[in-house]
Amino acid sequence: MVILDQTRLPGETAFVVLRGLEDAANAIRVMQVRGAPLIGATAAYGVALALQEGRPLEDALTALAATRPTAVNLHWALKRMRLVLENSALATRRDLAWNEARAIAREDEAANAAIGQHGLPLLQAIAARKGRINAMTHCNAGWLATVANGTALAPIYAAQDAGLDVHVWVSETRPRNQGHLTAWELEQAGIPHTLIADNAAGLLLMQGKVDCVIVGADRIAANGDTANKIGTYLKALAAREHGVPFYVAAPVSTIDFACPDGAHIPIEERAAEEVGAGDTPVANPAFDVTPAGLISGVITERGIITASNLRSVMP
Ligand code: MRU
């Protein structure tokens, strides 16, 4: 299985071959692949690779589940693989695993395309009022972070396809700089964008230079509280203060109906080296939680729902 190594972007386009379970687990852990839906799909393929190597199913599920804690798509995909595989005959297990991984990937592609179509009317309404749309996003929730089409960027791509004039404020996203991945994606797609330091977002919102904020999600609790890349919450607070709508775009697989609220979402703490402060003590939480009350709507493949009404899309 071949992946695009996101740790080398945007400077270099390098591909890496994943040959087995350890490669797949490592790719997720070190963020060669990243973004909740892509992590889920990669984990599913990781199970198929493990079985191909002759590794026990349980070992694969345990190793992959331990790679990153916050994105629930990882655990959702592993649960799906377990359901299909644990009672299957050994002779057919490998084929079943590859088929299920492919199904997860195909479904993600379709879900994200639908998110784009459901989000498009929001942007059309802004365009009708103001001409140019100024959207703001955080982190990277484009095609790189998914199997295809992206989540937060899906409505942006749909707007461009519909001929709307759309510009995107892209925050850098310290410490891992996923905003640079977003800028790279938008550059490739020919969509006007401006990279900003994370701390510039409040000023731009205050100055009326942002019509809407759209972000992705790593886990949405049953009450609508949403974990996404660290810094998302501050954008939501500033958006609320300045009357700017704040949307979360995510497939239903990102909703964790078993998780009652944001306080129960595990927040990944990453290595101090990512912040790079020498001997100074460092805290490096990789995600924060935006309370449901700050979210104007959740754009899913089933339509736009209010964060307090997630049960309406419960599978
Ligand atoms: O640590 P990362 O880069 O995996 O975090 C990614 C994000 O926070 C994304 O916004 C989220 O996964 C949505 S991706 C479509």
Side-chain angles (χ1 to χ4, degrees):
M1 180 193 165
V2 180
I3 56 155
L4 177 57
D5 183 352
Q6 298 196 31
T7 61
R8 310 274 282 274
L9 287 171
E12 202 185 331
T13 306
F15 294 91
V16 172
V17 181
L18 305 183
R19 299 187 193 281
L21 173 61
E22 305 311 336
D23 287 353
N26 185 59
I28 297 171
R29 196 179 306 111
V30 304
M31 295 170 65
Q32 285 177 319
V33 290
R34 45 147 297 283
L38 186 61
I39 291 171
T42 307
Y45 280 106
V47 172
L49 284 169
L51 297 184
Q52 192 166 285
E53 290 180 297
R55 304 280 295 267
L57 175 62
E58 257 343 290
D59 287 7
L61 296 172
T62 306
L64 289 160
T67 51
R68 294 194 71 189
T70 304
V72 78
N73 308 59
L74 169 71
H75 306 282
W76 169 87
L78 292 176
K79 193 169 160 194
R80 247 179 90 157
M81 297 302 280
R82 177 193 290 283
L83 273 177
V84 166
L85 298 173
E86 70 184 346
N87 294 319
S88 64
L90 278 180
T92 57
R93 220 174 228 196
R94 288 181 197 178
D95 287 347
L96 283 174
W98 284 110
N99 287 343
E100 192 63 10
R102 282 188 208 105
I104 286 172
R106 272 197 305 270
E107 286 169 32
D108 185 58
E109 181 174 355
N112 299 334
I115 286 172
Q117 289 312 308
H118 288 301
L120 177 59
L122 299 172
L123 301 183
Q124 283 170 323
I126 295 169
R129 251 187 8 254
K130 307 183 72 167
R132 177 170 244 215
I133 304 151
N134 278 294
M136 178 180 277
T137 192
H138 186 62
C139 194
N140 170 263
W143 64 260
L144 276 169
T146 64
V147 175
N149 301 315
T151 56
L153 293 191
I156 306 282
Y157 289 129
Q160 187 202 34
D161 289 346
L164 303 183
D165 183 7
V166 58
H167 162 264
V168 186
W169 296 107
V170 177
S171 56
E172 199 178 26
T173 317
R174 282 274 293 146
R176 290 292 296 232
N177 291 328
Q178 288 93 333
H180 291 254
L181 301 176
T182 296
W184 180 81
E185 267 196 41
L186 294 172
E187 180 69 35
Q188 305 242 323
I191 297 177
H193 58 281
T194 306
L195 187 68
I196 55 167
D198 295 339
N199 290 338
L203 178 71
L204 295 169
L205 284 155
M206 176 188 266
Q207 290 175 330
K209 292 181 176 170
V210 185
D211 300 311
C212 66
V213 182
I214 312 179
V215 299
D218 289 84
R219 189 184 299 230
I220 305 176
N223 74 340
D225 293 349
T226 295
N228 191 52
K229 181 53 55 193
I230 192 80
T232 303
Y233 174 45
L234 286 177
K235 284 189 172 59
L237 282 172
R240 169 58 56 93
E241 175 68 16
H242 299 294
V244 175
F246 180 94
Y247 295 102
V248 170
V252 171
S253 56
T254 305
I255 305 173
D256 184 356
F257 290 101
C259 178
D261 55 41
H264 289 83
I265 299 177
I267 300 293
E268 180 177 15
E269 180 73 29
R270 291 191 63 88
E273 291 73 40
E274 290 187 346
V275 180
D279 290 335
T280 305
V282 163
N284 186 16
F287 300 94
D288 59 25
V289 176
T290 299
L294 295 179
I295 299 169
S296 310
V298 182
I299 311 170
T300 74
E301 68 272 35
R302 307 260 309 269
I304 303 179
I305 47 180
T306 54
S308 56
N309 188 29
L310 298 180
R311 299 257 164 218
S312 62
V313 293
M314 194 167 174

